[in-house]
Amino acid sequence: ELGGAARHVTGFDRPNIRYEVLEKHKPFEQLLRLVESHRAQAGIVYALSRKRVEEVADRLCGQGIRAAAYHAGLPAEERARVQERFLKDELEVVVATVAFGMGIDKPNVRFVVHYDLPRHIEGYYQETGRAGRDGLPADALLLYGAQDVVTARRLIDANHNPQQQRIELHKLNAMVALAEAVTCRRRVLLGYFGDTLPEDCGNCDVC
């Protein structure tokens, strides 16, 4: 134990990130609108399945956007290449499963999109937190569809460990509550981690 050492406790708030949730309706078009508003800037799109990742990356390329897919099913050298190109700004968008982003410290990621509903707030927070590490404005967009919740619940029901089921359902319900919030999203997000915000943030879609 260090006597008298300074302790730096940082809260969970990332005030430069603008949180937005859109009801999922023609999701590719919703994604494209955001990407087009950030042309030539770096972004990450998270999707839950490898198939979806490949499909979205292909469609973005078809729109003339420098995009690539990243998931655990790709050969290690291909994953390393995508990561390298992204870090060097040769790629605008990486479409990925949650396998992407660990150890990626790219300060100028301007947007993070969740194409599918994340399973829990911890993951959502960690993934959106890869945006705007340089402190400049960044966007976090979540596309939220009722079908995503049905799919997620089905996966949880398939787990036959009742205790695990309870935990996962609790986490999913918290994620749904954030997506369906009608009050400041940042307050809901920080509240989940036990942090409080004295007033509404003014930098989310609800505000």
Side-chain angles (χ1 to χ4, degrees), residues 1-205:
E1 179 68 5
L2 283 170
R7 280 177 69 221
H8 297 282
V9 181
T10 54
F12 284 90
D13 193 14
R14 296 284 305 284
N16 60 313
I17 298 178
R18 181 180 187 274
Y19 297 102
E20 181 181 9
V21 178
L22 284 178
E23 193 172 335
K24 199 183 263 195
H25 174 67
K26 296 187 175 166
F28 185 75
E29 287 167 31
Q30 291 173 310
L31 168 65
L32 200 55
R33 271 200 297 277
L34 182 75
V35 173
E36 291 289 0
S37 73
H38 284 284
R39 272 325 293 261
Q41 293 181 326
I44 305 170
V45 179
Y46 284 105
L48 285 179
S49 71
R50 295 174 185 186
K51 184 169 170 277
R52 174 78 47 85
V53 163
E54 303 261 353
E55 176 196 314
V56 173
D58 284 348
R59 289 184 71 182
L60 284 173
C61 289
Q63 296 289 331
I65 290 149
R66 289 169 300 148
Y70 185 105
H71 57 70
L74 294 169
E77 55 273 19
E78 170 64 8
R79 293 204 305 270
R81 206 171 63 87
V82 169
Q83 204 160 316
E84 185 69 16
R85 289 178 65 209
F86 187 57
L87 288 171
K88 286 180 172 167
D89 288 322
E90 289 169 16
L91 285 174
E92 293 167 74
V93 182
V94 171
V95 186
T97 53
V98 293
F100 183 76
M102 296 295 163
I104 290 267
D105 198 21
K106 184 173 167 63
N108 63 336
V109 173
R110 291 274 68 85
F111 60 93
V112 168
V113 178
H114 282 89
Y115 205 83
D116 301 304
L117 183 74
R119 296 286 179 256
H120 44 72
I121 289 183
E122 289 89 346
Y124 171 77
Y125 175 79
Q126 192 176 20
E127 287 146 22
T128 54
R130 297 190 174 123
R133 290 197 172 161
D134 52 11
L136 298 173
D139 285 306
L141 172 64
L142 166 62
L143 300 179
Y144 173 64
Q147 190 52 48
D148 286 355
V149 184
V150 174
T151 307
R153 290 228 163 97
R154 199 175 295 140
L155 285 173
I156 291 171
D157 289 341
N159 178 344
H160 299 302
N161 174 337
Q163 194 185 357
Q164 197 63 41
Q165 263 188 345
R166 267 201 309 278
I167 294 168
E168 286 185 24
L169 202 54
H170 169 75
K171 285 177 181 281
L172 178 65
N173 289 339
M175 189 64 229
V176 169
L178 174 65
E180 294 183 348
V182 290
T183 55
C184 169
R185 289 196 205 278
R186 196 177 310 269
R187 289 183 114 166
V188 178
L189 182 62
L190 296 178
Y192 179 83
F193 294 109
D195 254 15
T196 50
L197 205 59
E199 58 216 22
D200 289 353
C201 77
N203 192 29
C204 73
D205 54 350

